[in-house]
Amino acid sequence: AYQRTHNAEAAVHVFESLVQQYPQSEHGAEAQFTIGVILGGSGKEADARGAYAAVGKKYPQSEWATKASLAIGESFQHEGKYVEAATEFEKLITLSPDTELGQRAFYNRGWCYAQKGQPDKTLADFGEFMKKFPDSVLAPDVQFWIADYYLKKKDYIKAQEQFQLLVKRYTTSKWADTAQYWAARAAYLRQDYKPAIELYEAVLKNFPDSGWRCDARFGEGDALSELNQFGDALLVFDSFTKDFPDCYLAAEALGRKGDMQFTLGRFDEAISSYRKALDAAREGDPTLRNQIYYGIGLSYEKANKLDEAFEWYSKPVYEQAAVPDPNTPPERFWMCKAGFAAGTIKERREQWRDAIILYQRLADLCPDMKTLLEQKIRKLRVDHVILF
């Protein structure tokens, strides 16, 4: 009762009394073990290990003695003492290799290597684990780590294989839908777009409650666009906006819908989609916002509506210049791209001074383009005799 009400000191006192007064009690070993649990939960890891060690000394034949051996290793692990933790786990692996606790020790030892910055040793350990204990309750976690290891190494072929192996072997695992999505993502990242589409569709078909469904639908549209199947991609992004209106990718999906409409020459529809994307865009995301501004400007330019195109192209430049956020690095790629396009429109209209003023402002905001812009300004001044 004291433990449940988080009165750690009183709980430890009572459990210690039980062990001292009734050392042969059937509850003695569990009480001694629980003292370690309470002390560890209070941040007293060294004291906790002492309590766990006492279980092995006082009750060496009990099931709690084996649990205490594992708990000592985990206590070292909590403190970041991975060498000591691995040593404790190895003892248990040697004593009880085929038990559930032995498997847990095997698993924990692998994590110790990873936390020590030795992921290759973890890979070897986990590979051995999968050979010995493919039916362990920990096997799906181990399999996912292996797949993720290859993904981080950008070995997308092996990553895809390992993720798909997890889905095949452990269909009811909590990792199954995540593995299905990342198998698709691995295929996409190695530019194998057709299999990626099939794998994304499998997330939608086989995992109706998955949190990866909106990501999978977006990925499907992305892969179709990479295959230049813009009509099909447009249908996917259109269905995304209807089926997943609350997804964190909603604004990006509307933007991609606009991209597809633009590619198909449907500029008015593209502008409409981009405007909706702008409304849905998260606050504090200048990259997406400026990209949308550029998309709207380009759509107006293609429709030969240059006044509107200039208005949207110039928005990123003047918004950044007017309200710079000192705590946030400026988004430069789309801002500079849009600003340069705005200046080009001024040149097309032979509004040389306006173009020079815009390029001067842009040179202050886009250091990577400063030399190019200064050369352009000098050329405009010389070619059109503009001295000031």
Side-chain angles (χ1 to χ4, degrees), residues 49-87:
R49 290 193 290 273
Y52 292 136
V55 178
K57 292 178 181 178
K58 295 177 181 179
Y59 309 99
Q61 303 305 316
S62 72
E63 62 174 310
W64 295 100
T66 309
K67 292 181 179 179
S69 297
L70 179 69
I72 290 172
E74 290 177 340
S75 175
F76 278 123
Q77 197 171 9
H78 294 158
E79 286 192 313
K81 297 178 179 179
Y82 302 120
V83 173
E84 295 88 340
T87 300

Side-chain angles (χ1 to χ4, degrees), residues 217-218 220-222 224 231-241:
R217 180 64 61 81
F218 189 94
E220 182 185 1
D222 235 2
L224 285 166
D232 291 338
L234 177 58
L235 291 175
V236 170
F237 285 121
D238 188 49
S239 69
F240 180 104
T241 60

Side-chain angles (χ1 to χ4, degrees), residues 26 119 148 171 204 281 308 383:
E26 61 179 315
D148 188 59
T171 55
L204 298 162
E308 292 87 344
D383 290 350

Side-chain angles (χ1 to χ4, degrees), residues 312-325:
W312 287 93
Y313 279 146
S314 60
K315 275 181 179 291
V317 178
Y318 289 106
E319 284 185 5
Q320 176 61 35
V323 192
D325 184 347

Side-chain angles (χ1 to χ4, degrees), residues 113-312:
Y113 294 144
Q115 289 163 322
K116 283 172 59 183
Q118 299 175 307
D120 292 344
K121 290 188 71 172
T122 302
L123 180 66
D125 233 28
F126 281 177
E128 185 181 353
F129 185 100
M130 291 304 298
K131 290 177 182 177
K132 290 184 174 180
F133 313 114
D135 299 322
S136 168
V137 294
L138 297 169
D141 298 64
V142 172
Q143 182 68 51
F144 190 90
W145 189 95
I146 292 171
D148 188 59
Y149 168 88
Y150 287 119
L151 186 70
K152 290 174 178 173
K153 288 285 188 180
K154 298 185 179 180
D155 188 340
Y156 299 126
I157 293 177
K158 285 187 178 179
Q160 181 183 339
E161 290 174 350
Q162 294 298 318
F163 281 127
Q164 288 185 265
L165 187 61
L166 190 157
V167 177
K168 181 179 179 181
R169 284 182 174 175
Y170 311 108
T171 55
T172 60
S173 164
K174 65 178 181 180
W175 292 110
D177 63 322
T178 304
Q180 181 70 59
Y181 171 78
W182 283 106
R185 185 67 180 155
Y188 178 90
L189 289 169
R190 64 188 181 89
Q191 301 180 348
D192 200 358
Y193 299 120
K194 289 185 179 180
I197 291 168
E198 293 175 1
L199 291 165
Y200 281 134
E201 289 176 344
V203 177
L204 298 162
K205 179 181 177 182
N206 299 330
F207 302 97
D209 299 320
S210 173
W212 292 101
R213 288 173 61 79
C214 78
D215 299 80
R217 180 64 61 81
F218 189 94
E220 182 185 1
D222 235 2
L224 285 166
S225 66
E226 292 290 347
L227 290 170
N228 296 327
Q229 297 179 16
F230 301 118
D232 291 338
L234 177 58
L235 291 175
V236 170
F237 285 121
D238 188 49
S239 69
F240 180 104
T241 60
K242 296 173 184 176
D243 296 340
F244 304 103
D246 299 324
C247 177
Y248 74 103
L249 290 168
E252 285 89 338
L254 284 163
R256 296 306 301 276
K257 180 180 175 181
D259 293 343
M260 298 304 102
Q261 290 164 331
F262 176 89
T263 303
L264 294 169
R266 293 150 60 173
F267 303 124
D268 289 340
E269 293 179 23
I271 290 167
S272 176
S273 293
Y274 286 137
R275 285 178 176 271
K276 290 177 182 177
L278 197 59
D279 291 338
R282 302 181 300 277
E283 292 185 7
D285 189 350
T287 299
L288 179 59
R289 183 192 66 227
N290 290 346
Q291 184 178 2
I292 293 170
Y293 285 161
Y294 179 79
I296 294 174
L298 188 61
S299 298
Y300 274 124
E301 184 178 4
K302 290 294 184 180
N304 203 31
K305 297 178 180 179
L306 298 187
D307 287 339
E308 292 87 344
F310 176 81
E311 176 188 353
W312 287 93

